[in-house]
Structure formats: C-alpha cells, structure tokens
Amino acid sequence: MIRLHHCPQSRSMRTLWLLHELDVDFRVVIHPFDKSLRRPEYLSLSPAGRVPALEIEGERMFETGAITEYLCERFSPDRLGRSTGSPDRMAWLVWVHFAETISQHAAALTQQHVVLYTDEMRSPTVMKLEAARLAKCYDALEARLSTPVENRDYLLTSGFSAADVSVGQAVYMARHFRGLDGHPEVAKWYTRITERPAFQASLPMDSERLYAQDFYPAWED
C-alpha cells in the first residue's frame, strides 16, 4: 500500500494528482496546515516537517521531484515518465523540476497573504516582487508552449506526462496570486490539463481549502 501524507492546496497535491493519473492503489492521510507537522512522529517521515511524505513498502520519501521520478520510473516509465532512452527525457526532467521554481514564489506569497497573521508582518514590496517573478515563470512556459512543433498541446512533444502534472499543480497554486492574462498559450494548456479527471479528483473540498480567496492581489505601498 502507498500512503500519501497530504495538506490540501499544498505541494503534496502534485503527488496526489500524479497518483490518480497512475491509477494505483493508495491511501491519503490528510494533515492540517499547522504545527502538527512538527511532531516527532511526522518528522520521522519528513525531517523538515513538510508535505508530501510518501510511505511505500516500509520505506518513506519526501520532496516532490524525487517522488515524481520514483513513481514514474516504477509504475509508468514511458507514459507519465520518460525513460532514459527517450528523446524527451532531458526535457521531462527539466520541466518536472521547474515546478519547484514556480512553487517557491507561490509559497512566499502564501506566507505573505495567508500565513502571516498581522498586517504589520506583511510586505507589499515582497508581494509585488514575488508576483513579478511568477510572471517571469509564465513567460518561460509561454515560450515553451508557443514553439512551432506538432502536438504542442503539452510541455513535451511526445505528449502529456508528469511534467504537465508537476508544472500544472504549481500554476494552480500560483494563479491565486498572478493571473494568466497575457499568456494565452499557458492559459489554453492549463485549461486542457485541469479538465482531466485525475486533476479534478485531487481538488480539495471547500472545508479543506487553505485559501479563503480565489485571488490575492498585491498590496499598495
């Protein structure tokens, strides 16, 4: 049995979506997004007290990029993953891990808008800088998705993969702070991948949402 430790609307949603795409048996253990992740029993699974943590056959993993690579190599090396001999292997690795570049900016904005609990702790300057950095990430995706090749419906020429899952989940988070206006190819790709049943199955119930709003604009100085 695979057991995923998950906080709704966090990076662990990336692994949850991937598990649904893989169509393997797994169980989800939902944790609140709070200090309970610092308890010793959870730190034995994820030493930094973060999600996701994955338990599989008596072993445990953390870090979404590593989990994505392992699960694809084991369960779907050439459908959701790209094996070593694939022409798209290098691009697959790049885009799977580019998701974390997007996520670090979305996480900084989540801290500013959601986690910090008094206005005095928040910084309009940080909000604007991090939102601008998300726009730069969208620029990179727009350039990739605008490349004039056949079948550019997804990040890889060879079709849908875990790269779309990883980056798509990061964009799902980022859109709470920076919209896709001005990035038409990214918007079309995002609509395409989020229509998938596995993405829909990974969405939180209303009672589980971390974000009380669909969009958080940067504050004015």
Side-chain angles (χ1 to χ4, degrees):
M1 173 62 71
I2 298 170
R3 181 178 299 161
L4 171 66
H5 295 266
H6 170 56
C7 291
Q9 291 190 310
S10 74
R11 284 177 175 89
S12 59
M13 180 183 171
R14 193 174 303 161
T15 305
L16 180 60
W17 181 1
L18 178 60
L19 287 166
H20 282 298
E21 293 281 0
L22 288 167
D23 195 25
V24 295
D25 291 331
F26 66 95
R27 176 188 169 196
V28 180
V29 180
I30 295 180
H31 297 267
F33 191 73
D34 62 19
K35 292 182 180 179
S36 65
L37 297 177
R38 304 293 189 271
R39 292 174 180 166
E41 58 268 26
Y42 187 74
L43 292 175
S44 69
L45 300 173
S46 179
R50 301 282 189 254
V51 290
L54 191 77
E55 296 180 82
I56 180 167
E57 294 183 354
E59 300 292 337
R60 54 107 167 120
M61 295 188 73
F62 49 94
E63 294 298 325
T64 57
I67 290 170
T68 295
E69 287 193 49
Y70 177 81
L71 290 176
C72 287
E73 287 170 3
R74 177 161 179 180
F75 297 109
S76 187
D78 295 303
R79 182 175 65 86
L80 291 168
R82 294 296 183 271
S83 56
T84 304
S86 168
D88 265 342
R89 171 68 174 180
M90 185 183 296
W92 184 85
L93 287 169
V94 166
W95 292 108
V96 162
H97 291 281
F98 185 70
E100 195 55 29
T101 298
I102 302 171
S103 291
Q104 67 177 340
H105 301 307
L109 286 162
T110 299
Q111 182 181 61
Q112 286 291 316
H113 288 279
V114 179
V115 178
L116 298 178
Y117 50 85
T118 67
D119 289 353
E120 292 76 15
M121 300 171 73
R122 299 183 171 114
S123 167
T125 300
V126 171
M127 292 177 183
K128 291 175 183 177
L129 284 173
E130 293 294 341
R133 289 164 179 159
L134 284 178
K136 291 295 185 183
C137 292
Y138 294 168
D139 289 345
L141 292 172
E142 186 73 14
R144 176 67 174 179
L145 293 163
S146 300
T147 304
V149 298
E150 293 183 5
N151 301 320
R152 184 53 84 211
D153 287 341
Y154 303 105
L155 290 172
L156 304 185
T157 305
S158 52
F160 180 80
S161 74
D164 299 288
V165 171
S166 294
V167 177
Q169 188 277 333
V171 171
Y172 165 80
M173 302 290 289
R175 287 173 67 254
H176 287 89
F177 310 104
R178 185 81 187 206
L180 297 178
D181 297 345
H183 298 89
E185 295 304 318
V186 179
K188 287 189 286 187
W189 162 83
Y190 181 78
T191 297
R192 186 178 303 117
I193 63 172
T194 56
E195 289 174 344
R196 298 177 68 87
F199 172 81
Q200 296 295 321
S202 70
L203 290 170
M205 296 185 295
D206 287 343
S207 61
E208 297 174 332
R209 290 171 61 91
L210 172 64
Y211 300 106
Q213 301 170 206
D214 291 332
F215 185 74
Y216 295 81
W219 291 7
E220 294 298 325
D221 291 310

